[in-house]
Amino acid sequence: MKFSIRILVLSLIIFSGFKTYAFQNDTSAYQTQRQKINMLLAERSARFGQYDLSLSARSGIFGLQTKNDLKNSNEILRSIILNDNNIFRELKVLMNYKDQEVSQVQSNEANSRKRIEAYMQTIKKLAG
């Protein structure tokens, strides 16, 4: 009887180890996605600095802006907007990871509760 309880406890420990490994993989994907978004945000900040500089560029006669100056500013602004679209897309992926983690934790909690109740019933049967 004690031997079967030991096997039961050992299998529970091994099973929980596999769950921990899967959770760590999900967390690393989440961290990778966060780093990707942070890089996009840093790129956006750099481009916005370029945009500010381009607005002050005046290569025309009497220090006026030329069409090329304005065109350059608009191209930089366009690249900022495209980068923003990428940021929103990657944020959506990040939120999906987060939602998946929450649902996985809730599912694991429910499964663990059921397993614990089943183990308690088994222990009661073995002890009784």
Side-chain angles (χ1 to χ4, degrees), residues 72-85:
N72 185 33
S73 295
N74 286 340
E75 286 300 317
I76 294 172
L77 189 58
R78 183 177 182 278
S79 70
I80 290 172
I81 291 169
L82 292 174
N83 192 20
D84 285 350
N85 290 340

Side-chain angles (χ1 to χ4, degrees), residues 4 16 22 25 27 37 44 48 54-55 58-59 106 119 125:
S4 60
S16 66
N25 283 341
T27 302
I37 290 172
R44 184 190 191 282
F48 199 81
S54 73
L55 286 178
R58 300 180 187 281
S59 61
Q106 290 172 345
Y119 291 146
K125 287 179 184 177

Side-chain angles (χ1 to χ4, degrees), residues 5 11 22 27 31 45 47 49-50 56 64 73 82 100 116:
I5 293 175
S11 63
T27 302
Q31 292 300 327
S45 294
R47 285 186 181 172
Q50 292 173 351
S56 63
L64 299 175
S73 295
L82 292 174
Q100 182 182 1
I116 289 171

